[in-house]
Amino acid sequence: MNFNIRQLEALYWAGSLGSFQAAANRLHTTQSAISKRIAELETALGKQLFDRTRRNAQLTPAGERVSNIASQMLSMSSQLLEEGDDPQEYQAIFRLAATESTALTWLPEFTKRIAVEFPTLRLEVEIHEGGVLLEQLNKGRYDLALLPGPMWGRIYEALPMKTLERAWMANPTLKIPKKNITVEELSKYPIGAQYSDTIHARLQSAWFTRAGHPLRKVVQAHSLSVLGQLTLAGVTVAQLPVGVFSEALKKKKLVKLAVTPELPDVQYFAVYRRSTAHHLAPKVAALAQSCCDFER
């Protein structure tokens, strides 16, 4: 009986992601290569591992058992790779994901540190909002995600990082009182928010609802940068990251508003899946902890 790690990877990810194509994307290969590896593994084991009558990649009972064993073997394989522990030898692809707030502050410095620590590592970076990041992390698209939380389950390892300070801001020409503003008074202005499926938009909407003043005038933006520009132009009042818009605050292009009660800040985490995690995920997550700085 002969089988190899690539065949076990193909089985595990096709079963976990429910698609041969998704597994191919995760492993940077083709769908036909995934099919071939799984067929070879089925021949070696003498068992059918996937139900070919289903549209998605669904494991058979035998496939479930083998996938569980494969998960353990892949984890041990990662541990063996760590035994070498020579950063110069890491030539794998590492997929990192982050929110826009991270991208606009400390992500550039973080990627430089990764390049220094692991000079041969091929780093791929994607920027999305937190909800999308968690969904794609769960599907195995990323090796590590830097996102606000907590909102995950036991399948994840989450290293706490710093809290992102946010504040209500407005163009000073709107002449909104800077102190002791109630939620009711704030709700009379057009409120800027990122699309409703983002983490911060959900928190903001729930905050207004709990205060008894559901949002009526909402201006939605597809990105933090666009939301900031709308606020600078006086179109909206928005809760924005202080570090990202510190220059506009210094130049008095924006002013902070003291709203009662305060909308709490959100802590960020470096998150990766515990099962079959990239062997560098714990090291890169720890590096993220030391680099995280939303004031840059």
Side-chain angles (χ1 to χ4, degrees), residues 78 82 86 135 150 169 278:
S78 292
E82 289 180 10
D86 182 359
E135 178 185 346
M169 300 183 196
H278 191 293

PDB file of all heavy atoms in Angstrom, residues 78 82 86 135 150 169 278:
ATOM      1  N   SER A  78       3.397  18.802   9.602  1.00  0.00           N
ATOM      2  CA  SER A  78       3.756  20.190   9.899  1.00  0.00           C
ATOM      3  C   SER A  78       4.743  20.264  11.054  1.00  0.00           C
ATOM      4  O   SER A  78       5.684  21.059  11.048  1.00  0.00           O
ATOM      5  CB  SER A  78       2.495  20.993  10.244  1.00  0.00           C
ATOM      6  OG  SER A  78       1.676  21.147   9.115  1.00  0.00           O
ATOM      7  N   GLU A  82       8.690  21.774  11.215  1.00  0.00           N
ATOM      8  CA  GLU A  82       9.178  22.747  12.188  1.00  0.00           C
ATOM      9  C   GLU A  82      10.502  22.319  12.812  1.00  0.00           C
ATOM     10  O   GLU A  82      11.253  23.151  13.319  1.00  0.00           O
ATOM     11  CB  GLU A  82       8.140  22.950  13.293  1.00  0.00           C
ATOM     12  CG  GLU A  82       6.910  23.700  12.825  1.00  0.00           C
ATOM     13  CD  GLU A  82       5.908  23.896  13.941  1.00  0.00           C
ATOM     14  OE1 GLU A  82       6.270  23.623  15.103  1.00  0.00           O
ATOM     15  OE2 GLU A  82       4.780  24.315  13.653  1.00  0.00           O
ATOM     16  N   ASP A  86      14.680  26.254  10.015  1.00  0.00           N
ATOM     17  CA  ASP A  86      15.586  27.169   9.332  1.00  0.00           C
ATOM     18  C   ASP A  86      14.764  28.060   8.416  1.00  0.00           C
ATOM     19  O   ASP A  86      14.261  27.600   7.391  1.00  0.00           O
ATOM     20  CB  ASP A  86      16.618  26.393   8.511  1.00  0.00           C
ATOM     21  CG  ASP A  86      17.614  27.326   7.812  1.00  0.00           C
ATOM     22  OD1 ASP A  86      17.475  28.559   7.962  1.00  0.00           O
ATOM     23  OD2 ASP A  86      18.516  26.818   7.135  1.00  0.00           O
ATOM     24  N   GLU A 135     -15.285  33.838   6.927  1.00  0.00           N
ATOM     25  CA  GLU A 135     -15.940  32.857   6.053  1.00  0.00           C
ATOM     26  C   GLU A 135     -14.918  32.133   5.182  1.00  0.00           C
ATOM     27  O   GLU A 135     -14.939  30.901   5.054  1.00  0.00           O
ATOM     28  CB  GLU A 135     -16.975  33.563   5.177  1.00  0.00           C
ATOM     29  CG  GLU A 135     -17.684  32.647   4.192  1.00  0.00           C
ATOM     30  CD  GLU A 135     -18.618  33.402   3.261  1.00  0.00           C
ATOM     31  OE1 GLU A 135     -18.918  34.586   3.553  1.00  0.00           O
ATOM     32  OE2 GLU A 135     -19.038  32.824   2.254  1.00  0.00           O
ATOM     33  N   PRO A 150     -14.018  38.690  19.415  1.00  0.00           N
ATOM     34  CA  PRO A 150     -13.993  37.273  19.015  1.00  0.00           C
ATOM     35  C   PRO A 150     -15.344  36.826  18.471  1.00  0.00           C
ATOM     36  O   PRO A 150     -16.379  37.291  18.924  1.00  0.00           O
ATOM     37  CB  PRO A 150     -13.685  36.560  20.331  1.00  0.00           C
ATOM     38  CG  PRO A 150     -14.294  37.437  21.377  1.00  0.00           C
ATOM     39  CD  PRO A 150     -14.179  38.855  20.865  1.00  0.00           C
ATOM     40  N   MET A 169     -16.752  60.772  14.074  1.00  0.00           N
ATOM     41  CA  MET A 169     -16.093  61.930  13.470  1.00  0.00           C
ATOM     42  C   MET A 169     -17.031  62.622  12.493  1.00  0.00           C
ATOM     43  O   MET A 169     -17.935  62.005  11.923  1.00  0.00           O
ATOM     44  CB  MET A 169     -14.823  61.503  12.728  1.00  0.00           C
ATOM     45  CG  MET A 169     -13.783  60.825  13.595  1.00  0.00           C
ATOM     46  SD  MET A 169     -12.274  60.440  12.669  1.00  0.00           S
ATOM     47  CE  MET A 169     -11.500  59.255  13.780  1.00  0.00           C
ATOM     48  N   HIS A 278      -1.120  25.677   8.404  1.00  0.00           N
ATOM     49  CA  HIS A 278       0.194  25.836   7.788  1.00  0.00           C
ATOM     50  C   HIS A 278       1.235  25.789   8.903  1.00  0.00           C
ATOM     51  O   HIS A 278       1.044  26.373   9.970  1.00  0.00           O
ATOM     52  CB  HIS A 278       0.242  27.179   7.068  1.00  0.00           C
ATOM     53  CG  HIS A 278       1.425  27.366   6.168  1.00  0.00           C
ATOM     54  ND1 HIS A 278       2.711  27.459   6.645  1.00  0.00           N
ATOM     55  CD2 HIS A 278       1.511  27.480   4.817  1.00  0.00           C
ATOM     56  CE1 HIS A 278       3.543  27.634   5.629  1.00  0.00           C
ATOM     57  NE2 HIS A 278       2.838  27.646   4.512  1.00  0.00           N
TER      58      HIS A 278
END
